[in-house]
Amino acid sequence: MLLQPTTIPVKSVAFFAHFSSSTPAGINHHILVFDKVITNVGNAYHSHTGTFIAPRSGLYVFTWTIRLYGNFHHSTELLVNNNVVNVIYLHPAHTIDGSVTGTAVVHVNQGDDAFIRTGTVNGGDIVTDVNGYSSFACWILA
């Protein structure tokens, strides 16, 4: 008699959130709270703090998009378990509306946290409106 292989189904974990309104970006190392939650499978994203807490260990994809307008510049950082994993920078110059996206694939242990914060180069507002959202998303690969 052949035994069928047993598999444990992968529990889904994913979230997508964006700002509900534009946010001042002038404070260094300030956690960005993406307060408008669209998807939160596994309830691991906490919209009141802007923090994702991994419900289980695994390989996760993180991505975030930041919009700016005018003669301002801005950097943001992805931190996982208080370690900077990726940094993005944008300077749209004068009257141009621009956006920049960062992505990282990271092994995260159960209970580790991840969030986006402002970097050390900040000015103006992070823009979000009907023409495009500043957003943060994550999903588990395996």
Side-chain angles (χ1 to χ4, degrees), residues 18-24 33 35-36 126-129 133-134:
H18 62 78
F19 288 133
S20 60
S21 61
S22 295
T23 303
V33 178
D35 60 325
K36 178 68 175 173
I126 297 174
V127 178
T128 196
D129 59 29
Y133 297 127
S134 291

Side-chain angles (χ1 to χ4, degrees), residues 14-17 34 61-65 102 116 135-139:
F15 78 86
F16 173 73
F34 298 84
V61 177
F62 294 92
T63 186
W64 73 106
T65 298
I116 304 299
S135 61
F136 181 30
C138 168
W139 60 92

Side-chain angles (χ1 to χ4, degrees), residues 43-113:
N43 295 316
Y45 178 71
H46 302 276
S47 62
H48 55 285
T49 63
T51 304
F52 168 79
I53 299 174
R56 63 187 195 85
S57 297
L59 192 59
Y60 289 83
V61 177
F62 294 92
T63 186
W64 73 106
T65 298
I66 301 295
R67 281 185 61 215
L68 287 177
Y69 179 80
N71 195 23
F72 296 105
H73 51 107
H74 189 60
S75 64
T76 54
E77 304 170 336
L78 168 66
L79 278 82
V80 176
N81 214 26
N82 289 320
N83 295 307
V84 175
V85 174
N86 196 1
V87 179
I88 58 175
Y89 173 81
L90 176 64
H91 187 295
H94 304 295
T95 59
I96 296 172
D97 184 343
S99 64
V100 62
T101 298
T103 304
V105 179
V106 184
H107 183 271
V108 178
N109 293 315
Q110 182 177 3
D112 285 353
D113 61 9

Side-chain angles (χ1 to χ4, degrees), residues 109-126:
N109 293 315
Q110 182 177 3
D112 285 353
D113 61 9
F115 55 87
I116 304 299
R117 73 178 185 187
T118 56
T120 57
V121 178
N122 304 299
D125 290 343
I126 297 174

